[in-house]
Amino acid sequence: MAKPLTDQEKRKQISIRGIVGVENVAELKKGFNRHLHFTLVKDRNIANPRDYYFALAHTVRDHLVGRWIRTQQFYYETDPKLGLDMEELEEMEEDAGLGNGGLGRLAACFLDSMATLGLAAYGYGIRYEYGIFNQKIRDGWQVEEADDWLRHGNPWEKARPEYMLPVHFYGRVEETREGSKWVNTQVVLAMPYDTPIPGYMNNTVNTMRLWSARAPNDFNLKDFNVGDYIQAVLDRNLAENISRVLYPNDNFFEGKELRLKQEYFVVAATLQDVIRRFKTTKKHGSGRTSFESFPEKVAIQLNDTHPAMAIPELMRIFVDIEKLDWDTAWDLTRRTFAYTNHTVLPEALERWPVELLETLLPRHLQIIYQINQAHLDRIAAFFPNDVNKLRKMSLIEEDGCKRVNMAHLCIVGSHAVNGVAEIHSNIIKTQVFKDFSELEPKKFQNKTNGITPRRWLLLCNPGLAELIAEVIGEDYVKDLSQLQKLVDFVDDAAFICDVSKVKQDNKVKFAQYLEKEYRVKINPSSMFDVHVKRIHEYKRQVLNCLHIITMYNRIRKNPTAPFVPRTVIIGGKAAPGYHMAKMIIKLITSVADVVNNDPVVGNKLKVIFLENYRVSLAEKVIPATDLSEQISTAGTEASGTGNMKFMLNGALTIGTMDGANVEMAEEAGEENLFIFGMRVEDVAQIDKNGYDAMVYYQNIPELKQVMDQITSGFFSPKNPDLFKDLTNMLFKHDRFKVFADFEAYIKCQEKVSQLYQNPKEWTKMVIKNIAATGKFSSDRTITEYATEVWGVEPTDLKIPPPNEPREAIEETARALKKL
């Protein structure tokens, strides 16, 4: 007999029914039994956990397919066991690590919101065979292993070979009477794989289409004909390498030919797909397509500069293939594209060598030159004789190796440009792209990032989701602003107690996970102080590490003094070629070895480096966190979304006035966050005066002690010079000014410990923070993109389910048109 469901399991069932659209879980059970039986008949007699996972995944996908087809029709019409352990099955699912850091995760949140808001949206990308690497920590060092996430297959995707498309590379340009022709190219085929993206409680299922590279059957057939069969097969592999592996760099530009191939591959296949879909509805009687309404029917958002080649590619299609005149094509192109900038770090901005473009995409380079010439003519008309202005605003950088500035191409080729938090958008307007903003101020906007509450509350923290629903109802799941109602419960003793209990339950569960995975016994009553994100100098994991050593020194100096117990959890991946980031990981793990094995410290302080931080691990650690570390140097983090996830899940934030932290402080009140350190203007002043790390070192005794320990080999006795590169950076060329914020950070952490000793007041502040997270829903972000950039309106109309007749969808479509 199946055991009764817990409240959290009931909430998970409600969430599954909302997304899948199944009114009765019995429907799922029937399908599950059928799929499991098929697997066993086909392969073997005894089921293993992966069989259960695939059977469940295929069952859910079956239920989505009808709604998936019905959703696409709607867009067209408008122009074997009970009592399965769900958590065990969830563990079977591989993370689809197809993005770097927060950018890929943000895209996933946006897809969820677009489906939930009823927008006819498509997500496009590359189906990488190997995603972001798996991180192993060996002897304290990061070691990378291939992320073979497809080794067991992917039950959620559907191959669509009927929509396979050619993508061209290399070749040369011929000038003919009919115009420019790109000839003698090498062809790679793009095979689409579709994944359903279900909205919440609205029967909408949108599509994510990922492209996989395939060599055509006649690839290098001439080599085969002369007997070089092996080389022909190897050349096929070269073509298919385009979708083999994700480049693991985050906030760093690596100008490799394969990376440029990947960027062009995805945009070339996608634009062909978009135009095919547009043409199916826009044919004239003559058989020719009018593109006059293209920007009214198609909006393309460039998620950073990686898809920037879409701009010259669409121009090539319009001018070379569809035979539109240049000015018409350019007008349509600019009205179609919008560009989101995600970083201000100069090393992250893409600048492709002209020489590489000339070889790989010769026609596109010609088009970029023509776009640039018209752009510079316009600048010269506004600023005659200002050569410096032309140089700064050109798409082509002439210093040293000639390069194409892809951010400039995106700005010139788009009708809207946005940053992803108020402070970031102001920086790109007043500093990074100042000349462009002054020329076209209305083009520049802000769209503060957001997160989907479906994954980052309902799914990962069902206990808190259920508790909130009990006091304010369930509508907040689709309208997060309703969390403001929680303000009425800030002083409610019962609610305070319940919020505290949910957090403690999550901490106990995560402590058990840590003990199992890391063999470190954790005190669940200690403060869980968490810093998880990509490892980078600007994110300042080093500053956190210096605080850990400071706490360690204080305990050692006075072991009997009162101390608020802490478990410091740091996690994140370093780009494989990023030496300094790897040294930061080694420092953290070395400090952890000393702290965790010192009997004087005992259970007062524990340090854990979370191996292989990823989405599925984030879903475990975020609900268990007490203190969220968001401590980047002011003016360097564009937005951040981890900060929002922690806030929504009942963690308090210690952070600088950077990225979305600024707006979090505005929403919750600065007094309800632990804000410290330099502001953007302070950083600018230090840059102006010159940053001298030695001044801080010589004047702050605890900082001097910590740095002396690191440099003397206290944490690396077998190799005292191990951290020489790291300490040399901190003393001589630290762009992110760790020492300048050290003292303020330590004092702020003391305030954190003081408040944590008063659980009631701590939890009241937690409730105030949760109540203030409404702004940070990706539903709000996407609504702003839709109405202010794409020119479309979200709808709450519910698409009829597949079991209703086709006439029902036509009726809903008519209702939408009336709106």
Side-chain angles (χ1 to χ4, degrees):
M1 182 177 171
K3 60 185 179 183
L5 295 176
T6 65
D7 287 343
Q8 292 197 9
E9 287 169 335
K10 288 176 187 171
R11 161 64 56 182
K12 193 162 281 190
Q13 276 201 1
I14 292 168
S15 178
I16 289 171
R17 287 206 300 269
I19 292 169
V20 179
V22 177
E23 298 301 326
N24 190 334
V25 175
E27 289 183 52
L28 285 176
K29 290 177 181 174
K30 279 167 58 180
F32 174 85
N33 287 329
R34 186 176 68 252
H35 277 291
L36 187 62
H37 175 72
F38 176 76
T39 300
L40 297 181
V41 167
K42 189 175 70 169
D43 294 336
R44 58 193 170 279
N45 294 322
I46 300 171
N48 61 40
R50 191 169 300 282
D51 295 326
Y52 292 140
Y53 162 66
F54 267 77
L56 183 61
H58 282 124
T59 304
V60 173
R61 193 186 73 176
D62 288 349
H63 280 278
L64 287 176
V65 163
R67 288 163 178 79
W68 198 3
I69 294 168
R70 179 54 60 94
T71 298
Q72 304 313 307
Q73 289 173 344
F74 178 72
Y75 292 158
Y76 184 83
E77 295 288 341
T78 55
D79 196 34
K81 287 183 180 177
L82 300 175
L84 287 171
D85 186 339
M86 279 293 289
E87 290 198 8
E88 185 184 349
L89 295 194
E90 285 172 0
E91 291 300 317
M92 304 302 300
E93 183 160 271
E94 299 282 346
D95 284 62
L98 303 184
N100 263 305
L103 195 56
R105 183 55 245 169
L106 178 74
C109 284
F110 282 1
L111 288 176
D112 174 275
S113 285
M114 289 189 286
T116 298
L117 293 169
L119 294 171
Y122 297 80
Y124 286 97
I126 295 178
R127 182 183 179 268
Y128 294 106
E129 193 174 324
Y130 295 91
I132 183 75
F133 62 88
N134 285 322
Q135 178 196 59
K136 300 291 181 186
I137 301 297
R138 296 196 182 126
D139 193 27
W141 295 97
Q142 170 179 294
V143 176
E144 301 87 28
E145 292 185 353
D147 173 28
D148 190 7
W149 74 288
L150 289 170
R151 64 190 179 280
H152 298 298
N154 176 8
W156 300 105
E157 68 183 7
K158 176 81 172 71
R160 304 300 301 272
E162 68 273 28
Y163 292 120
M164 193 145 55
L165 295 165
V167 175
H168 298 259
F169 295 99
Y170 303 109
R172 58 187 176 80
V173 181
E174 265 185 10
E175 299 300 335
T176 70
R177 229 180 302 175
E178 291 80 35
S180 299
K181 283 188 177 177
W182 188 16
V183 298
N184 294 342
T185 58
Q186 289 185 16
V187 176
V188 175
L189 298 178
M191 160 84 93
Y193 287 79
D194 288 355
T195 299
I197 306 294
Y200 187 76
M201 302 286 272
N202 66 350
N203 287 335
T204 296
V205 182
N206 282 345
T207 302
M208 177 176 71
R209 177 161 285 183
L210 302 180
W211 302 101
S212 181
R214 297 283 186 272
N217 286 331
D218 60 349
F219 193 83
N220 263 356
L221 199 59
K222 61 181 186 302
D223 291 336
F224 177 73
N225 288 341
V226 297
D228 196 351
Y229 167 74
I230 297 297
Q231 190 58 48
V233 172
L234 292 177
D235 284 353
R236 288 182 66 87
N237 283 338
L238 282 175
E240 294 174 1
N241 278 345
I242 290 174
S243 59
R244 194 82 69 202
V245 64
L246 168 74
Y247 271 87
N249 290 322
D250 184 53
N251 282 302
F252 182 79
F253 168 59
E254 188 170 13
K256 300 283 180 68
E257 180 176 329
L258 177 59
R259 178 61 180 163
L260 181 57
K261 275 185 173 178
Q262 290 177 339
E263 292 186 358
Y264 178 68
F265 174 76
V266 68
V267 302
T270 296
L271 284 174
Q272 288 181 75
D273 203 43
V274 167
I275 287 173
R276 173 194 59 78
R277 195 176 293 114
F278 176 79
K279 283 184 171 183
T280 59
T281 60
K282 296 296 162 193
K283 283 276 187 200
H284 284 178
S286 63
R288 283 194 52 82
T289 302
S290 168
F291 287 94
E292 189 179 333
S293 64
F294 192 78
E296 280 74 55
K297 293 295 180 184
V298 177
I300 300 175
Q301 192 71 35
L302 302 173
N303 197 23
D304 219 338
T305 58
H306 311 123
M309 289 306 296
I311 293 169
E313 171 65 3
L314 187 58
M315 284 297 291
R316 185 187 71 83
I317 292 168
F318 281 158
V319 174
D320 294 0
I321 298 171
E322 301 298 339
K323 303 302 180 186
L324 302 183
D325 68 85
W326 179 273
D327 290 344
T328 300
W330 183 239
D331 176 62
L332 294 174
T333 297
R334 288 186 82 232
R335 286 162 54 207
T336 298
F337 288 111
Y339 161 53
T340 301
N341 172 271
H342 285 279
T343 182
V344 297
L345 297 181
E347 64 266 34
L349 296 174
E350 291 190 303
R351 297 171 164 93
W352 286 106
V354 162
E355 190 177 15
L356 176 57
L357 279 164
E358 199 164 27
T359 302
L360 191 66
L361 300 166
R363 177 59 181 139
H364 297 77
L365 181 62
Q366 285 185 348
I367 291 169
I368 289 168
Y369 276 141
Q370 197 167 342
I371 292 169
N372 192 43
Q373 188 58 58
H375 165 62
L376 292 180
D377 288 347
R378 183 165 175 258
I379 303 303
F382 280 106
F383 305 98
N385 304 318
D386 192 340
V387 177
N388 191 45
K389 179 80 75 174
L390 292 174
R391 181 186 61 78
K392 287 192 297 180
M393 297 183 73
S394 176
L395 308 190
I396 311 296
E397 297 178 352
E398 304 278 355
D399 302 335
C401 165
K402 283 175 73 170
R403 295 175 178 270
V404 179
N405 185 311
M406 304 309 277
H408 289 187
L409 175 62
C410 287
I411 293 168
V412 172
S414 299
H415 70 275
V417 176
N418 70 277
V420 290
E422 287 284 359
I423 185 173
H424 170 234
S425 296
N426 288 334
I427 288 170
I428 67 174
K429 281 191 282 190
T430 59
Q431 296 176 37
V432 184
F433 303 130
K434 183 172 184 282
D435 293 305
F436 292 92
S437 173
E438 288 175 346
L439 187 67
E440 296 181 282
K442 290 181 180 176
K443 179 185 275 194
F444 287 76
Q445 306 180 14
N446 174 61
K447 297 287 172 280
T448 299
N449 281 342
I451 59 172
T452 168
R454 271 76 62 183
R455 177 171 295 273
W456 295 111
L457 184 57
L458 258 69
L459 188 69
C460 74
N461 200 344
L464 182 58
E466 178 67 32
L467 180 58
I468 292 170
E470 284 173 8
V471 295
I472 67 170
E474 295 191 357
D475 289 349
Y476 76 90
V477 178
K478 290 183 75 171
D479 178 11
L480 209 60
S481 66
Q482 293 195 25
L483 290 181
Q484 290 172 338
K485 296 175 183 176
L486 293 178
V487 170
D488 296 339
F489 298 89
V490 167
D491 296 309
D492 185 305
F495 188 65
I496 291 170
C497 181
D498 288 342
V499 170
S500 182
K501 183 180 183 306
V502 166
K503 178 62 70 177
Q504 193 58 32
D505 289 346
N506 290 335
K507 289 174 69 176
V508 168
K509 188 176 177 183
F510 191 62
Q512 291 168 347
Y513 171 83
L514 290 178
E515 193 170 343
K516 177 181 163 221
E517 295 294 321
Y518 296 88
R519 291 182 289 281
V520 177
K521 194 158 182 65
I522 300 301
N523 174 11
S525 299
S526 65
M527 182 199 305
F528 282 18
D529 174 352
V530 178
H531 196 177
V532 285
K533 50 185 77 237
R534 286 301 287 264
I535 307 296
H536 200 291
E537 289 163 81
Y538 88 87
K539 293 179 185 286
R540 298 203 297 189
Q541 286 91 353
V542 169
L543 181 57
N544 190 343
C545 195
L546 300 187
H547 174 241
I548 293 168
I549 301 170
T550 303
M551 289 190 290
Y552 171 73
N553 289 337
R554 288 180 178 182
I555 295 169
R556 293 273 305 175
K557 184 178 180 181
N558 192 351
T560 59
F563 185 86
V564 177
R566 284 197 192 213
T567 300
V568 183
I569 299 166
I570 303 176
K573 296 177 181 178
Y578 190 175
H579 170 66
M580 199 59 69
K582 287 188 161 183
M583 290 307 305
I584 291 168
I585 291 174
K586 179 59 176 173
L587 176 63
I588 294 164
T589 56
S590 300
V591 170
D593 283 343
V594 172
V595 171
N596 296 344
N597 294 296
D598 192 324
V600 175
V601 175
N603 285 326
K604 290 180 179 178
L605 180 62
K606 292 291 181 190
V607 182
I608 292 177
F609 189 88
L610 276 185
E611 185 181 74
N612 203 32
Y613 183 64
R614 58 203 184 277
V615 172
S616 56
L617 192 47
E619 290 169 355
K620 292 180 173 69
V621 67
I622 290 173
T625 299
D626 292 306
L627 184 68
S628 160
E629 300 267 356
Q630 308 296 333
I631 58 175
S632 53
T633 309
T636 60
E637 186 74 84
S639 169
T641 52
N643 44 8
M644 304 169 188
K645 292 162 193 169
F646 284 107
M647 187 183 189
L648 180 60
N649 281 275
L652 298 185
T653 301
I654 183 166
T656 51
M657 277 300 207
D658 195 26
N661 295 356
V662 177
E663 289 159 80
M664 287 162 54
E666 287 171 0
E667 294 296 305
E670 195 172 325
E671 70 280 6
N672 291 311
L673 281 76
F674 298 102
I675 298 294
F676 74 93
M678 300 175 288
R679 303 321 205 234
V680 169
E681 52 272 21
D682 300 321
V683 175
Q685 191 61 49
I686 289 177
D687 282 334
K688 187 178 176 183
N689 298 337
Y691 172 65
D692 185 353
M694 289 302 294
V695 172
Y696 301 97
Y697 169 77
Q698 290 164 352
N699 287 285
I700 305 171
E702 285 190 310
L703 174 61
K704 184 177 188 302
Q705 182 187 5
V706 167
M707 291 308 299
D708 288 349
Q709 286 170 295
I710 297 171
T711 52
S712 69
F714 182 86
F715 298 104
S716 55
K718 292 180 181 176
N719 184 359
D721 290 333
L722 179 62
F723 300 112
K724 190 174 181 181
D725 288 349
L726 184 54
T727 56
N728 188 52
M729 178 274 290
L730 289 170
F731 279 117
K732 295 180 180 175
H733 44 88
D734 178 12
R735 294 159 56 202
F736 305 107
K737 306 170 182 63
V738 169
F739 291 0
D741 271 342
F742 174 83
E743 197 166 31
Y745 181 54
I746 299 298
K747 286 177 180 173
C748 196
Q749 287 282 17
E750 289 167 1
K751 291 180 187 173
V752 172
S753 293
Q754 188 178 356
L755 184 64
Y756 194 74
Q757 292 177 82
N758 188 336
K760 183 178 178 182
E761 290 304 312
W762 179 279
T763 306
K764 285 170 75 169
M765 193 181 282
V766 164
I767 295 167
K768 289 175 186 174
N769 271 264
I770 297 171
T773 53
K775 175 178 180 177
F776 304 109
S777 168
S778 50
D779 296 348
R780 186 269 315 153
T781 311
I782 289 299
T783 298
E784 289 181 6
Y785 274 110
T787 57
E788 297 168 20
V789 179
W790 306 331
V792 294
E793 290 289 336
T795 174
D796 56 5
L797 282 177
K798 192 171 182 177
I799 295 176
N803 57 342
E804 290 189 20
R806 172 89 188 212
E807 291 72 29
I809 196 171
E810 292 167 355
E811 188 177 327
T812 307
R814 285 193 294 271
L816 184 61
K817 284 179 178 176
K818 286 178 184 174
L819 292 175

